[in-house]
Amino acid sequence: MKHILRIIIALIFIASGFVKAVDAVGFSFKLEEYFSSAVFNMPFFEKQALAIAIIVVVLELVLGFFLLMKMRLKFTLSALIALCVFFGFLTFYSAYFNVVTDCGCFGDALKFTPWQSFVKDIVLLLGLIILWILYRKHFNEPEQKSTFKKYASAFAFLTMVFVINWGISHEPLIDFRHYKIGTDLNVEKAKIAKNPSEYKTFYSLKNEKTGEVININQDDYVNKEEYWKEGSPWKIEEGKTTSKIVKQGYESEIAKFKPESSEGMDLTEEILKAPKAVLVFAYHPEKADKNILAKTEAKVNSEKDALVYGVSTNPNTFKTIKNAMMDGTAIKTIARSNPFVLTLQNGKIVDKKSAEDYLKK
């Protein structure tokens, strides 16, 4: 029984680590959310997000592999328990204060709500504690060495290094994102329009006579005049009005694809209807290599019969192609490098590359 539990937990950590290793840059974006002023307010760590992401990925993969191979059990279980406690705190904090909506535990492959992530961490923690109790008598036993473990460890290490490096230098080897090659943005937009999510506004009302505070949705507020008629003791508390989802529609990151001109004109339809559109993205235009940007602009300008836009968070980023604006977080769901080139044909993604790889074509 303990062997089965050990293998299951080990595979969970390996799967979690592998999905993040494939897209370490994407995981670093998630860590930036945790380090942002809206959550833990640690701007220094925002700058180190990619390095921290790599460390976390390596820890998960190495410790998961050690647990699977039953290597250095005391150290492995201790480290995994510490890791679970740390991430349990993060997921509880984000769930309780509703500050990060997706922990990124399994990258873009599997989405968890903050509370689901917290429960997952607690279950893993309990499983690891049980393993500690079941294996504690074996901690001081000499570890058996084998040729298989030696070669398996070497293979696992080289695979890990290759996968992480490829995802950072190019594009993820396996693309779990909604913007993978072959995705038809027109089809996705139609699905979103057909089954949209529904939201309601909730007011925080305070009774000035009794001090009682209640939350009430917009419909109940309008339908019950006791809350708003003249002389009512109920008053809306400023800054506490919220919007909550009441019906989950079709979920897709494509919903955030909405490039606009510097004047605020929506360019989405023009781009998605173009026989060929080439978009150059920069989520941090101020940090982008100016030389690569200039060369990329020159090359996209040579694309025959193509609609060309440079999409960033700054209306003056691109000098020789038309500028478009889009939210930086939305750009990060598409681009894993800065700058990045996306090619569409009638709204369908046919190619996506870092600008450096695009220039090598």
Side-chain angles (χ1 to χ4, degrees):
M1 181 64 186
K2 65 182 180 182
H3 300 304
I4 295 173
L5 180 61
R6 173 176 56 80
I7 291 169
I8 289 173
I9 293 178
L11 291 176
I12 289 173
F13 276 102
I14 291 171
S16 173
F18 178 76
V19 169
K20 291 197 281 285
V22 165
D23 188 10
V25 176
F27 181 47
S28 74
F29 292 158
K30 184 57 59 179
L31 291 180
E32 285 178 5
E33 287 187 50
Y34 280 107
F35 298 140
S36 68
S37 57
V39 187
F40 290 114
N41 194 23
M42 296 176 169
F44 169 77
F45 288 110
E46 277 189 79
K47 298 173 184 177
Q48 310 301 322
L50 181 56
I52 296 171
I54 293 171
I55 291 170
V56 171
V57 166
V58 170
L59 277 175
E60 279 194 311
L61 287 172
V62 170
L63 294 173
F65 180 79
F66 277 11
L67 186 61
L68 184 65
M69 295 287 107
K70 221 166 89 171
M71 297 165 63
R72 301 183 182 181
L73 268 181
K74 186 176 182 179
F75 165 77
T76 299
L77 288 171
S78 300
L80 286 173
I81 287 171
L83 208 58
C84 273
V85 170
F86 174 69
F87 280 109
F89 165 73
L90 285 185
T91 53
F92 175 78
Y93 186 93
S94 62
Y96 187 81
F97 292 101
N98 195 31
V99 287
V100 179
T101 56
D102 170 35
C103 71
C105 304
F106 287 89
D108 290 296
L110 185 62
K111 298 289 187 179
F112 281 169
T113 66
W115 282 118
Q116 287 172 336
S117 301
F118 175 67
V119 171
K120 181 263 298 176
D121 288 332
I122 295 301
V123 170
L124 283 175
L125 180 60
L126 291 175
L128 289 165
I129 292 172
I130 291 171
L131 285 179
W132 175 281
I133 295 170
L134 294 176
Y135 279 104
R136 68 186 186 282
K137 294 180 181 178
H138 304 286
F139 286 162
N140 296 321
E141 293 179 0
E143 191 171 311
Q144 293 182 347
K145 296 182 179 180
S146 70
T147 304
F148 172 75
K149 284 186 179 181
K150 179 181 178 181
Y151 285 109
S153 299
F155 175 77
F157 177 77
L158 292 173
T159 301
M160 176 182 70
V161 171
F162 172 76
V163 169
I164 294 174
N165 181 65
W166 188 274
I168 294 172
S169 302
H170 307 283
E171 273 284 283
L173 278 171
I174 305 172
D175 197 346
F176 295 107
R177 290 168 292 168
H178 293 177
Y179 287 94
K180 63 176 70 71
I181 291 177
T183 300
D184 191 323
L185 272 61
N186 285 307
V187 171
E188 290 295 298
K189 289 278 189 182
K191 289 179 180 178
I192 295 166
K194 187 177 180 180
N195 184 22
S197 296
E198 293 178 10
Y199 296 83
K200 275 190 179 180
T201 298
F202 282 76
Y203 302 114
S204 177
L205 302 182
K206 184 173 183 178
N207 191 307
E208 294 185 332
K209 292 182 178 179
T210 65
E212 182 185 0
V213 177
I214 61 173
N215 283 306
I216 187 168
N217 70 56
Q218 60 194 48
D219 296 333
D220 289 340
Y221 178 79
V222 171
N223 293 331
K224 296 181 180 180
E225 64 175 23
E226 64 189 89
Y227 294 126
W228 50 264
K229 68 180 180 180
E230 188 175 349
S232 171
W234 294 100
K235 302 297 178 185
I236 295 176
E237 293 189 286
E238 289 187 19
K240 294 188 177 181
T241 299
T242 58
S243 180
K244 297 180 181 178
I245 189 166
V246 293
K247 174 184 171 291
Q248 183 63 63
Y250 180 74
E251 284 190 279
S252 175
E253 292 292 341
I254 308 299
K256 300 173 185 175
F257 183 85
K258 190 180 177 182
E260 296 180 343
S261 68
S262 55
E263 293 79 25
M265 182 183 299
D266 188 354
L267 303 172
T268 309
E269 188 173 352
E270 178 190 7
I271 291 169
L272 297 188
K273 285 187 175 180
K276 182 177 181 180
V278 181
L279 308 177
V280 183
F281 289 95
Y283 52 80
H284 282 316
E286 70 283 358
K287 297 179 181 178
D289 187 302
K290 303 302 180 186
N291 184 46
I292 290 177
L293 268 180
K295 289 181 178 180
T296 304
E297 286 190 56
K299 183 162 183 176
V300 296
N301 270 325
S302 68
E303 294 272 2
K304 294 181 179 179
D305 303 319
L307 175 68
V308 175
Y309 274 106
V311 186
S312 72
T313 56
N314 186 318
N316 301 308
T317 298
F318 302 94
K319 310 305 179 186
T320 62
I321 59 177
K322 291 182 287 186
N323 278 272
M325 300 280 289
M326 207 159 96
D327 175 69
T329 302
I331 293 176
K332 286 178 179 179
T333 64
I334 304 170
R336 288 298 191 250
S337 57
N338 183 52
F340 182 88
V341 181
L342 182 76
T343 305
L344 304 170
Q345 287 183 356
N346 297 307
K348 186 175 183 178
I349 299 174
V350 294
D351 193 27
K352 50 190 295 192
K353 284 183 172 69
S354 67
E356 290 186 51
D357 285 343
Y358 174 76
L359 292 171
K360 294 174 185 175
K361 285 201 309 181

